[in-house]
């Protein structure tokens, strides 16, 4: 007798395959109780046999399961695939899912606020040398009053550039408003009118690189923008700028980035890396002008539990025949373009 025969026909079956997130990280005990009250829940993490056995009866898969066309073809009752890692991966046959009426949802909105706050913190650090002067103080090299502020700047009325204006860009925009800056945005996926309606200035990439005192790199990675910031474009960044990278490492040529920071063209704060963990002798570790971070901008406890709440809210809506409203719906026109890879 297969595992599938043990499902409860009175409640929709939800399969949990949440790795690399443990179930208890994204669902509090109260959230799990709520989920199990209205749905039959089976944890199939790391068990592809159980996934295959239960998939024909599943209402939703919560996680990053491999779902090629053959598997989706056997999932007659499937209505939702809910990614809880943060990326839309190329391990799903998206056209088949959409053709079968399956919603593909992502948890990106849960990370937008914590990443935006962290990005702002990194920018303020670069503006005022906070972590640099902390290190100096601990080593007995502190500089008092104006001596430690020769390169300090303020964000108020600054010229700011955003590369990408999705969930993260919108969250960061809200935080930046208090500084009354001039904000230019480069996002080829958005019409200029939508940016102007948000009180932003549409701009070319070249304009943003040349004018931004603070440059935030916020875009998802695609084949089209891989190493968008190559050596030539990095060389065109405004002298003395502060560059904050918190989205996808593949957008930047890191060897060139290190060279430009090393020669003092601009300062940079980096939270994402081409290979993680970062090599012990990576030159960024010893290059003055960097603020370094180990891919920790978004992964905070409140974001993880927010993901669980989002999943339950949208599952409840879907079970009632209503559209999901909290998670990010994969756009058929875009999801196949992403080239994201798992964190770490």
């Amino acid at each position: 007798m297969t595992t599938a025969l043990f499902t409860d026909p009175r409640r929709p079956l939800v399969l949990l395959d949440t790795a690399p997130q443990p179930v208890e990280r994204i669902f509090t005990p109260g959230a799990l109780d709520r989920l199990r009250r209205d749905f039959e829940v089976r944890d199939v993490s790391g068990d592809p046999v159980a996934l295959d056995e239960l998939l024909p009866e599943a209402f939703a898969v919560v996680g990053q399961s491999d779902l090629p066309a053959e598997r989706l073809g056997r999932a007659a009752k499937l209505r939702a695939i809910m990614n809880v890692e943060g990326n839309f991966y190329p391990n799903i046959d998206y056209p088949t899912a959409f053709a079968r009426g399956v919603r593909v949802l992502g948890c990106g909105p849960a990370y937008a606020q914590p990443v935006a706050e962290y990005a702002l913190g990194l920018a303020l650090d670069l503006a005022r040398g906070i972590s640099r002067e902390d290190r100096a103080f601990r080593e007995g090299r502190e500089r008092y009053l104006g001596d430690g502020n020769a390169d300090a700047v303020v964000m108020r009325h600054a010229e700011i550039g955003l590369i990408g204006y999705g969930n993260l860009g919108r969250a960061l925009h809200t935080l930046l408003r208090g500084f009354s800056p001039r904000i230019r945005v480069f996002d080829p996926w958005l019409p200029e009118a939508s940016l102007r309606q948000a009180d932003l200035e549409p701009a070319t990439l070249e304009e943003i690189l040349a004018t931004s005192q603070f440059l935030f790199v916020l875009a998802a990675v695609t084949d089209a923008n891989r190493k968008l910031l190559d050596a030539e474009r990095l060389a065109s960044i405004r002298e003395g700028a502060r560059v904050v990278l918190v989205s996808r490492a593949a957008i930047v040529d890191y060897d060139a980035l290190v060279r430009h920071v090393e020669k003092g063209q601009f300062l940079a704060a980096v939270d994402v890396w081409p290979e993680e963990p970062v090599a012990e002798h990576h030159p960024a570790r010893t290059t003055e002008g960097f603020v370094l971070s180990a891919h920790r901008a978004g992964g905070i406890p409140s974001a993880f539990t927010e993901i669980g709440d989002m999943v339950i809210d949208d599952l409840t809506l879907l079970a009632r025949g209503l559209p999901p409203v909290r998670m990010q719906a994969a756009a058929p026109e875009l999801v196949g373009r992403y080239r994201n890879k798992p964190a770490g």
Side-chain angles (χ1 to χ4, degrees):
M1 185 175 294
T2 67
T3 309
L5 295 181
F6 290 94
T7 60
D8 183 347
R10 297 168 298 177
R11 293 181 296 162
L13 174 63
V14 173
L15 304 182
L16 303 182
D17 189 14
T18 62
Q21 310 290 14
V23 170
E24 60 272 15
R25 175 179 286 172
I26 59 176
F27 293 106
T28 64
L32 269 179
D33 288 344
R34 180 184 166 202
L35 182 63
R36 289 171 174 149
R37 181 190 67 203
D38 297 323
F39 300 90
E40 184 180 0
V41 180
R42 298 294 181 89
D43 188 351
V44 297
S45 298
D47 191 346
V49 173
L51 175 67
D52 281 328
E53 289 181 341
L54 290 164
L55 197 55
E57 297 297 320
F59 176 77
V61 174
V62 178
Q64 296 67 245
S65 309
D66 292 334
L67 294 170
E70 183 275 330
R71 260 183 173 162
L72 289 171
R74 293 186 286 106
K77 299 181 180 180
L78 191 65
R79 291 296 172 265
I81 302 166
M82 312 176 91
N83 180 292
V84 295
E85 191 273 350
N87 296 291
F88 290 118
Y89 295 135
N91 65 335
I92 295 173
D93 190 310
Y94 291 102
T96 298
F98 295 135
R100 297 178 65 87
V102 178
R103 306 268 188 170
V104 183
L105 307 173
C107 65
Y111 291 121
Q113 185 66 26
V115 175
E117 292 184 10
Y118 198 80
L120 177 58
L122 292 174
L124 290 169
D125 190 335
L126 291 174
R128 301 299 302 274
I130 298 169
S131 59
R132 179 193 68 195
E133 296 305 314
D134 172 80
R135 291 191 300 273
F137 204 119
R138 294 173 188 276
E139 295 168 4
R141 300 183 289 105
E142 70 270 22
R143 298 179 292 179
Y144 288 88
L145 303 172
D147 290 342
N149 286 327
D151 62 348
V153 297
V154 296
M155 294 190 70
R156 182 165 175 79
H157 296 158
E159 296 197 64
I160 292 177
L162 309 182
I163 298 177
Y165 192 70
N167 294 320
L168 176 52
R170 291 190 293 272
L172 180 59
H173 183 199
T174 299
L175 300 178
L176 292 173
R177 283 194 177 104
F179 296 95
S180 302
R182 179 179 183 179
I183 304 178
R184 297 180 180 91
V185 175
F186 170 72
D187 191 325
W189 288 2
L190 294 176
E192 292 187 359
S194 68
L195 296 174
R196 292 194 182 97
Q197 286 176 344
D199 299 322
L200 298 163
E201 294 184 36
T204 66
L205 180 59
E206 289 70 26
E207 288 171 331
I208 282 179
L209 297 179
T211 61
S212 298
Q213 189 175 13
F214 292 88
L215 177 65
F216 294 89
V217 184
L218 312 173
V221 63
T222 69
D223 285 336
N225 69 9
R226 196 178 296 275
K227 290 200 175 178
L228 179 72
L229 298 184
D230 58 13
E232 182 178 354
R233 287 194 171 117
L234 289 170
S236 71
I237 290 176
R238 173 176 168 174
E239 193 78 21
R242 272 65 171 172
V243 179
V244 178
L245 176 55
V246 289
S247 58
R248 299 298 168 203
I251 295 172
V252 178
D253 180 332
Y254 273 66
D255 292 337
L257 177 70
V258 171
R259 290 196 300 271
H260 285 291
V261 172
E262 192 172 34
K263 70 181 184 181
Q265 180 188 342
F266 53 79
L267 306 178
V270 180
D271 183 56
V272 290
W273 303 87
E275 299 296 332
E276 297 176 1
V278 176
E280 180 181 355
H281 300 293
H282 193 289
R285 293 183 183 272
T286 55
T287 299
E288 193 66 34
F290 273 111
V291 173
L292 308 178
S293 177
H295 205 148
R296 49 186 300 271
I300 65 175
S302 62
F304 293 135
T305 56
E306 179 74 5
I307 291 169
D309 291 342
M310 291 166 61
V311 166
I312 296 171
D313 287 343
D314 279 351
L315 278 174
T316 301
L317 290 171
L318 287 165
R320 293 169 54 198
L322 298 171
V325 298
R326 297 207 60 198
M327 300 187 78
Q328 178 180 354
E333 299 84 358
L334 299 180
V335 69
R337 303 186 189 187
Y338 296 129
R339 294 296 180 266
N340 299 318
K341 65 179 184 177

